[in-house]
Amino acid sequence: MSSTPAIQKKSFQDAVKERRSIYPLGRELPQGVTDEKIIELINNAVKHSPTSFNSQSSRAVVLLHKHHEKFWDFVKEKIKSIVDEKTWNESSSGRLNGFQSAYGTVLLFEDQSVVQQYQKNIPLYAEHFPTWSEHAHGILAYVAWTSLEAEGFGANLQHYNPLVDDKVQQEWKIPESWKLRGQLVFGQALQPAGEKEFQPLEERVKVFQ
């Protein structure tokens, strides 16, 4: 009996190069990937993504299955209530249905109580901690996204906050101090990402040696 060939995992550099915003997403898992593996990826991203002063201000909520669908129902209800019927029919409805058709969503937060405590404890840098918190969010989003890419998922990052903040807080008992910063949608990549143009590196990187 022949054995199934081992899955060739992407290197970190390949995952960095191939990570793109992919919008047509489905619900078929990459071979060998389980819900437990997804949770492990996000746990590792939260645990090991660096933060200023090791503040560990970043938070994540992993929504799978009915919870993922419920989140996008909340978004659709909110958007439908604030746009006209033409806008809803021509753009919003299809776009949001596409996000809901993905496998899951990771809600990314920054805990403002942590930010405020560091502002209090280290007043010399108080004005910088909110900015550094946003840096932490960006790093976590990138690490989580690239980790999902390396496992064979497609993903895109959305920002329907603060429109759904209250609903999210109520439904999943989120602490008031957690500020929603983005929603990482992931699933089976149904289409490849389009070509990407790059500015010349000579205009973006300077090297002195």
Side-chain angles (χ1 to χ4, degrees):
M1 180 182 295
S2 61
S3 59
T4 303
I7 301 172
Q8 183 66 42
K9 297 295 184 182
K10 295 179 183 178
S11 70
F12 175 75
Q13 286 296 328
D14 284 341
V16 167
K17 292 176 183 177
E18 296 174 20
R19 183 218 54 80
R20 300 283 180 82
S21 293
I22 297 179
Y23 297 100
L25 299 172
R27 294 188 177 173
E28 183 175 335
L29 287 171
Q31 184 180 0
V33 176
T34 62
D35 287 354
E36 289 70 28
K37 180 62 177 179
I38 293 167
I39 295 166
E40 178 188 351
L41 292 175
I42 303 306
N43 279 338
N44 284 337
V46 172
K47 183 175 182 178
H48 296 294
S49 293
T51 55
S52 64
F53 288 83
N54 194 31
S55 61
Q56 301 180 54
S57 57
S58 302
R59 307 286 183 264
V61 173
V62 182
L63 301 178
L64 303 174
H65 310 300
K66 66 179 182 180
H67 296 282
H68 160 76
E69 292 199 13
K70 183 174 287 189
F71 172 79
W72 290 105
D73 280 338
F74 289 159
V75 177
K76 287 192 283 187
E77 290 169 8
K78 185 62 179 180
I79 298 298
K80 195 171 183 178
S81 73
I82 62 176
V83 301
D84 58 55
E85 185 174 352
K86 181 179 179 181
T87 301
W88 172 255
N89 290 330
E90 290 184 356
S91 58
S92 298
S93 177
R95 182 176 178 83
L96 295 173
N97 285 337
F99 299 144
Q100 193 169 43
S101 296
Y103 191 83
T105 303
V106 183
L107 306 181
L108 302 172
F109 301 81
E110 283 294 310
D111 191 339
Q112 300 308 296
S113 67
V114 174
V115 176
Q116 292 161 10
Q117 189 62 51
Y118 272 84
Q119 288 179 303
K120 180 180 178 181
N121 292 345
I122 313 176
L124 180 63
Y125 298 128
E127 66 178 303
H128 298 298
F129 281 108
T131 300
W132 292 339
S133 170
E134 292 301 297
H135 294 173
H137 160 65
I139 292 170
L140 173 58
Y142 186 77
V143 171
W145 192 343
T146 307
S147 298
L148 289 165
E149 168 69 35
E151 290 295 329
F153 285 105
N156 60 78
L157 187 63
Q158 298 302 312
H159 300 90
Y160 286 95
N161 44 289
L163 292 175
V164 293
D165 288 20
D166 290 343
K167 278 282 194 180
V168 167
Q169 187 178 62
Q170 294 166 14
E171 178 66 27
W172 291 290
K173 306 298 186 292
I174 305 300
E176 290 185 8
S177 63
W178 291 22
K179 184 178 182 181
L180 184 58
R181 306 309 299 134
Q183 303 88 51
L184 183 60
V185 190
F186 65 94
Q188 175 192 11
L190 299 179
Q191 294 179 13
E195 292 297 319
K196 185 176 182 178
E197 294 184 2
F198 295 94
Q199 297 177 13
L201 286 176
E202 293 80 3
E203 298 176 6
R204 303 175 64 193
V205 180
K206 293 185 183 295
V207 178
F208 302 90
Q209 60 185 66

